[in-house]
Amino acid sequence: MENLGMVLALTGAALASILAGIGSAIGVGKAGQAAAGVVTEDPSKFSKVLIMQLLPGTQGIYGLLIAFITLSQIGILGGSAESLSLAKGLLYLAACLPIAIVGLLSAISQGKAAVAGIMMIAKKPDQMSKGMIFAAMVETYAILALLVSILAIFGIAGLNI
Amino acid sequence: MKVPMSRITIYGNKKDRKAVLEFLQRRQCVDISEPDAENAKLGFSTMNTSESQSEFARERVIGEKAIDILEKYAPSEKGLLSSFEGRRSLSAEEYYMYVDDIPEMMNIAVRITDAEEEIAERRAQIVRRMSELDELSPWLPLDVSLSEDGTKDTSCIIGTFPEALTEEKLLERYLSAEDAPPIHAEIVNVMPQQTCVFILCAKKHAADCENRLRAIGFSKMKTSFSGVPAERTAQIQKEIDALNSEIGALEKEIASYKGAASSLRFMVDYYTMRTEKYNVLSMLSQRNKVFVITGCVPKEAASSLAATLEHEYNAAVETEDADGDAPVLLKNKYLTEPVEGIVKTFAMPAMGEIDPTGIMAFFYYILFGMMLSDAAYGLIMTLGCFFAIKKFKNMEPDMKKTLRMFMYCGISTMFWGVMFGSYFGDVVPTVSRTFFGKEVTIPPLWFEPVKDPMKMLMFSFVIGIVHLFTGLGVKLYQCIKAKDWAAAFGDCIFWYMLVGGGILYLFRVDMFLSMAGLTTKLPAVWGTVAAVIAGIGALGILLFTAPQNKMGKRLAKGAYSLYGVTSWLSDILSYSRLLALGLATGVIATVFNKMGSMFGGGVVGAIIFIIVFVIGHTLNLGINALGAYVHTNRLQFVEFFGKFFEGGGREFKPFAAHTKYYKFKEEI
């Protein structure tokens, strides 16, 4: 089991992309349903509601970003995979958790805010940027989680354990 | 800046009313206000025009409907970028030509909507015929009429069994009952769920036969139509064909009005204009032979407007400087103008507030650029916007402003991309390594955020502090201008001291120094000075937030305000998104480059790389530009505006023609 460290680190990367990806998929899906409803009434609002639909999609990208940084840090991407100590593997796993969990939940919440924003566009298309801000407020927390994950992962690389 | 406004009062003769209103509508520079209640006492009254307004609105709706229908049957050619094209302007000659066309256009519009209804009705009829055909189809082999009763001595019974049956099986079942009268049965059609049968019996036994048949599951055909099924089917088919050809003719008729599309569009615009005009008409104070218009006009336009009104329209005009609650018109120049739209979506500055556009624009470009921070993406944005502006000269002003804003954002993005060494992520080293065997890198002008995220984070906070302190500075300026000294100290200067002192003190804290990567610790006296500054600030906030209250309440309010220091903390931390979004662009670009280069060098590798490159980077640019836009807005609206700007002014909305398709030149 001397490679367990590598397994844990990869689990972390996988979780980051899986959970954040699921969250974004749910959020974008919900917003998409609402957007389709608006477009049946008024096709000219397509581009506006499309932008709103995209907003909860960023968490998935943050998850991908963390997964990617982790993969290249532990050498799976780039082909120089060495054995990783158990402690370091666990650290990587822990470092991936903020964006994984916050990404999942915040994307779902942001999806709900985006749905409400889309409803607003249906009635008052000129107020669109306010709707975008409401949805973007939720994303702040995903960004904070992303930041912690990034800083932690870069920090772990320098540790000698 | 906010454009200074004048309040204008126009007195005119009633016979010039139409001309004056039309002139004002063309000039588009007077925001007409509700008449003064005082006027009623002087015998002035207003006109109720709501009936005509709704009549015009109804006509406009018919026109719009006709245009939509026409678009369906005879689509006009639209380019991919047609949304950039502005409204076409009409000359006076064209205008009057179109006005003459309006009665005819109204007829055409009504005809088009009627034709559409006729088509819908025929479609419904076809559906009914189709279901009749479905019902008839199993009976096609039957060569007598479905409502056939029989002959003098025989009766025929036509109907179905709810199962698949053969002739023998049917007779066997029927004859199994005692003394069943003889029948002749013919199977017309067999399906798994239904058997259609034709049964013949002696007339005297008809009722008995039917009862017996019913007992074994038979049900009589209930039919609304008579005739031989095959003949009837052919007839229905003919009817459907006729309906279809009628629909074709109607569609052709609608399409034949294609040439009228531009006149129809004019008609919609015309009624829009008239609705607006009549709305203003209802706001005029009128008496016997005179009318009065009150409103606001930008000060610079006031005198020329007054002169024209006096000389050409025989009106008397009074102007005076408008007071604080005048409607707000923003006017900025060059680099700052395009950001006006962003301010407008938040709110118009209220009385006593300055127009934040100028200060905001500078930060807007910086923040956007840092979030996208890729030289190549910036170049694409800049060039794209530049050529769109050059190509579509007739673009609507708001659209043009937006494009200009993104062009400047693109330039800033290029700048930060060069600083951080990002060109399509790491496409230069990737391509040179994969296809030319030798790695070439473009070193960043400053540093690479991926390699040193802590440095980038610190830099983001510095930008944030500058941004927030600038916002607080604007507040200070507004307080001083309003001579509100208590607020100037309590809300601004003491906050500078508290937050500034706190930040300075950080340079004595070991943890902060190691995080920021600084090695020199400042002398102890620095810490003392910083702490004293912060302390004075805190005390000041405690005492001077609500100086007009009694001591207890004053301290309580001060303490509550002091609690706001947590919001300063979260505001500053919020700027960490500059790092996060900046890294997101670069890392995702790198992912796509890596995916593209996985297939190695050579021709096949190059082709795959190009495909992945184009799709991947288009996606990345789109999603990150959207992210940068949204989050730049957020930093401006929540963090920056939170420090000084509430808004709530009324936007200057001049009496004008808010048309959809055409612009009307001055001289009409």
Side-chain angles (χ1 to χ4, degrees):
Chain A
M1 292 306 275
E2 74 239 40
N3 285 332
L4 197 58
M6 187 62 93
V7 174
L8 288 171
L10 187 59
T11 310
L15 280 179
S17 60
I18 290 171
L19 293 182
I22 290 175
S24 277
I26 295 175
V28 172
K30 276 184 183 168
Q33 290 173 348
V38 172
V39 171
T40 42
E41 286 292 314
D42 183 0
S44 69
K45 293 199 177 101
F46 174 68
S47 58
K48 284 189 167 173
V49 291
L50 181 68
I51 288 177
M52 291 297 295
Q53 192 201 351
L54 278 177
L55 290 179
T58 35
Q59 278 85 346
I61 293 173
Y62 298 153
L64 168 76
L65 193 134
I66 290 300
F68 183 77
I69 297 178
T70 309
L71 291 181
S72 50
Q73 289 273 351
I74 60 178
I76 286 184
L77 267 180
S80 60
E82 298 160 15
S83 68
L84 208 60
S85 73
L86 184 61
K88 232 176 177 177
L90 265 173
L91 284 174
Y92 275 118
L93 174 56
C96 288
L97 288 182
I99 192 59
I101 297 168
V102 179
L104 170 67
L105 297 176
S106 73
I108 296 173
S109 301
Q110 196 175 357
K112 290 177 188 160
V115 167
I118 288 168
M119 295 299 148
M120 191 168 93
I121 289 176
K123 288 194 172 161
K124 295 198 166 165
D126 52 322
Q127 298 295 318
M128 173 189 177
S129 50
K130 286 175 191 162
M132 280 169 73
I133 294 295
F134 291 144
M137 296 302 267
V138 184
E139 192 169 323
T140 304
Y141 305 99
I143 290 178
L144 295 180
L146 168 68
L147 199 71
V148 171
S149 287
I150 288 181
L151 294 177
I153 288 169
F154 281 122
I156 292 166
L159 294 178
N160 200 10
I161 46 172
Chain B
M1 59 174 264
K2 289 203 270 190
V3 176
M5 288 283 163
S6 289
R7 204 165 282 288
I8 189 169
T9 313
I10 303 164
Y11 306 91
N13 290 317
K14 234 178 187 171
K15 65 175 165 52
D16 301 324
R17 191 177 68 193
K18 183 166 185 274
V20 169
L21 280 180
E22 281 174 4
F23 167 71
L24 290 177
Q25 190 169 28
R26 287 195 308 272
R27 280 295 286 266
Q28 319 204 338
C29 67
V30 185
D31 185 329
I32 291 169
S33 40
E34 292 283 333
D36 202 336
E38 292 286 303
N39 287 353
K41 288 183 198 150
L42 302 170
F44 282 96
S45 61
T46 53
M47 222 163 115
N48 184 358
T49 59
S50 55
E51 211 165 288
S52 341
Q53 278 188 56
S54 58
E55 174 62 23
F56 293 147
R58 193 185 65 82
E59 275 159 339
R60 195 189 69 222
V61 168
I62 292 176
E64 275 169 350
K65 223 163 145 191
I67 290 171
D68 283 348
I69 295 168
L70 204 52
E71 196 63 32
K72 196 161 99 193
Y73 294 106
S76 54
E77 299 85 25
K78 265 188 193 161
L80 196 61
L81 297 171
S82 62
S83 55
F84 288 134
E85 283 166 21
R87 293 169 295 170
R88 196 165 78 80
S89 40
L90 282 187
S91 66
E93 219 171 288
E94 286 172 299
Y95 176 89
Y96 290 115
M97 205 179 74
Y98 277 132
V99 171
D100 290 342
D101 277 351
I102 280 181
E104 194 195 328
M105 284 309 130
M106 199 64 225
N107 290 337
I108 289 180
V110 170
R111 180 63 206 132
I112 288 175
T113 47
D114 285 354
E116 168 81 352
E117 265 169 38
E118 283 167 37
I119 288 176
E121 192 193 313
R122 280 169 179 69
R123 291 242 157 87
Q125 281 189 32
I126 288 179
V127 171
R128 274 206 299 281
R129 299 277 195 292
M130 290 298 221
S131 67
E132 212 173 308
L133 276 187
D134 275 351
E135 229 177 292
L136 272 177
S137 65
W139 296 99
L140 278 180
L142 189 67
D143 45 13
V144 295
S145 165
L146 278 169
S147 54
E148 183 71 48
D149 288 331
T151 56
K152 195 173 145 211
D153 294 320
T154 61
S155 256
C156 51
I157 305 167
I158 301 172
T160 57
F161 284 93
E163 60 193 311
L165 283 178
T166 57
E167 232 174 270
E168 292 80 38
K169 225 172 174 182
L170 166 63
L171 284 175
E172 188 190 312
R173 243 192 247 179
Y174 174 75
L175 293 172
S176 64
E178 255 174 67
D179 23 277
I183 55 165
H184 168 77
E186 259 175 55
I187 302 287
V188 180
N189 190 312
V190 187
M191 280 179 290
Q193 299 290 324
Q194 179 184 298
T195 307
C196 303
V197 290
F198 172 82
I199 292 165
L200 204 66
C201 64
K203 199 156 206 165
K204 53 187 174 187
H205 296 136
D208 188 23
C209 277
E210 210 178 315
N211 283 335
R212 283 165 188 276
L213 281 166
R214 204 173 283 133
I216 57 169
F218 176 83
S219 58
K220 207 175 172 189
M221 172 84 176
K222 285 192 191 75
T223 170
S224 53
F225 37 74
S226 53
V228 181
E231 282 168 17
R232 177 71 190 146
T233 305
Q235 192 194 348
I236 292 174
Q237 201 60 53
K238 229 184 251 166
E239 282 170 21
I240 289 178
D241 287 346
L243 285 168
N244 267 329
S245 72
E246 277 173 43
I247 289 176
L250 284 165
E251 281 176 350
K252 231 178 244 163
E253 188 196 339
I254 294 179
S256 74
Y257 292 122
K258 196 180 178 192
S262 53
S263 303
L264 281 171
R265 289 195 195 107
F266 175 84
M267 186 179 80
V268 169
D269 277 356
Y270 179 78
Y271 283 118
T272 309
M273 272 163 63
R274 292 202 77 177
T275 315
E276 282 180 78
K277 194 160 83 187
Y278 272 66
N279 180 36
V280 166
L281 195 57
S282 72
M283 293 202 279
L284 303 191
S285 295
Q286 318 199 41
R287 207 173 75 172
N288 306 338
K289 288 184 175 162
V290 292
F291 68 91
V292 184
I293 303 176
T294 49
C296 282
V297 58
K299 204 168 173 184
E300 57 194 11
S303 59
S304 77
L305 180 77
T308 320
L309 280 169
E310 278 168 0
H311 292 124
E312 289 178 26
Y313 295 94
N314 221 358
V317 179
E318 274 175 5
T319 56
E320 55 177 357
D321 285 357
D323 44 8
D325 63 344
V328 182
L329 176 65
L330 304 179
K331 190 171 181 187
N332 292 279
K333 279 184 185 160
Y334 315 115
L335 277 172
T336 59
E337 189 194 4
V339 189
E340 273 173 12
I342 304 284
V343 176
K344 257 188 223 171
T345 58
F346 183 78
M348 296 306 266
M351 200 163 84
E353 283 183 333
I354 65 158
D355 172 12
T357 311
I359 305 160
M360 189 186 120
F362 173 69
F363 285 105
Y364 199 92
Y365 300 137
I366 291 183
L367 295 176
F368 188 98
M370 280 180 74
M371 287 185 200
L372 199 54
S373 65
D374 186 286
Y377 291 171
L379 188 68
I380 292 172
M381 271 178 71
T382 312
L383 290 180
C385 294
F386 180 77
F387 284 118
I389 293 171
K390 280 281 161 267
K391 179 152 190 269
F392 299 100
K393 296 252 184 264
N394 194 28
M395 197 183 291
E396 296 295 322
D398 282 349
M399 175 67 94
K400 195 168 171 183
K401 272 187 198 169
T402 309
L403 285 183
R404 271 177 62 206
M405 186 183 91
F406 282 117
M407 187 170 83
Y408 298 138
C409 286
I411 293 171
S412 163
T413 306
M414 265 197 292
F415 169 77
W416 289 108
V418 172
M419 292 300 268
F420 297 145
S422 175
Y423 304 85
F424 287 121
D426 62 347
V427 81
V428 179
T430 306
V431 168
S432 59
R433 190 177 57 237
T434 316
F435 298 102
F436 303 103
K438 193 169 146 252
E439 186 163 312
V440 181
T441 48
I442 305 177
L445 217 52
W446 191 18
F447 73 102
E448 251 184 272
V450 187
K451 298 249 168 75
D452 195 354
M454 267 332 274
K455 190 172 177 182
M456 183 64 194
L457 185 63
M458 287 302 147
F459 179 62
S460 302
F461 289 156
V462 170
I463 294 271
I465 291 165
V466 172
H467 195 207
L468 292 171
F469 273 16
T470 310
L472 196 60
V474 177
K475 168 114 180 172
L476 182 61
Y477 171 79
Q478 282 175 176
C479 289
I480 291 174
K481 211 172 147 203
K483 299 208 166 49
D484 185 354
W485 301 109
F489 278 93
D491 293 348
C492 307
I493 293 175
F494 288 135
W495 276 108
Y496 271 129
M497 292 173 76
L498 175 60
V499 179
I503 291 165
L504 292 179
Y505 189 77
L506 281 179
F507 287 91
R508 281 283 302 161
V509 179
D510 289 326
M511 195 183 82
F512 173 76
L513 292 177
S514 71
M515 263 167 63
L518 296 171
T519 44
T520 49
K521 193 171 172 181
L522 292 162
V525 65
W526 174 284
T528 318
V529 173
V532 168
I533 296 177
I536 295 174
L539 205 63
I541 293 165
L542 196 60
L543 289 174
F544 292 100
T545 298
Q548 67 278 17
N549 292 319
K550 285 200 185 109
M551 209 51 189
K553 202 175 176 190
R554 180 172 170 174
L555 285 180
K557 280 199 172 176
Y560 179 69
S561 167
L562 198 55
Y563 179 68
V565 80
T566 53
S567 81
W568 273 88
L569 191 68
S570 63
D571 283 352
I572 294 173
L573 286 180
S574 184
Y575 286 83
S576 60
R577 72 188 71 225
L578 294 177
L579 162 67
L581 291 169
L583 279 186
T585 319
V587 171
I588 295 164
T590 310
V591 173
F592 283 123
N593 290 337
K594 196 158 234 162
M595 275 167 63
S597 64
M598 271 173 186
F599 299 89
V603 179
V604 179
I607 293 171
I608 295 176
F609 182 84
I610 290 171
I611 295 171
V612 174
F613 179 87
V614 170
I615 297 175
H617 285 284
T618 311
L619 213 73
N620 192 26
L621 172 59
I623 213 149
N624 277 294
L626 174 66
Y629 170 72
V630 170
H631 288 283
T632 308
N633 279 1
R634 183 224 139 103
L635 286 178
Q636 299 283 9
F637 289 175
V638 181
E639 275 76 19
F640 186 59
F641 283 175
K643 291 282 160 280
F644 69 97
F645 188 66
E646 279 176 10
R650 188 162 63 83
E651 192 184 346
F652 178 70
K653 286 200 172 131
F655 171 39
H658 294 101
T659 52
K660 207 162 145 192
Y661 304 104
Y662 296 104
K663 271 189 296 218
F664 303 108
K665 282 192 201 143
E666 178 62 18
E667 69 266 24
I668 298 166

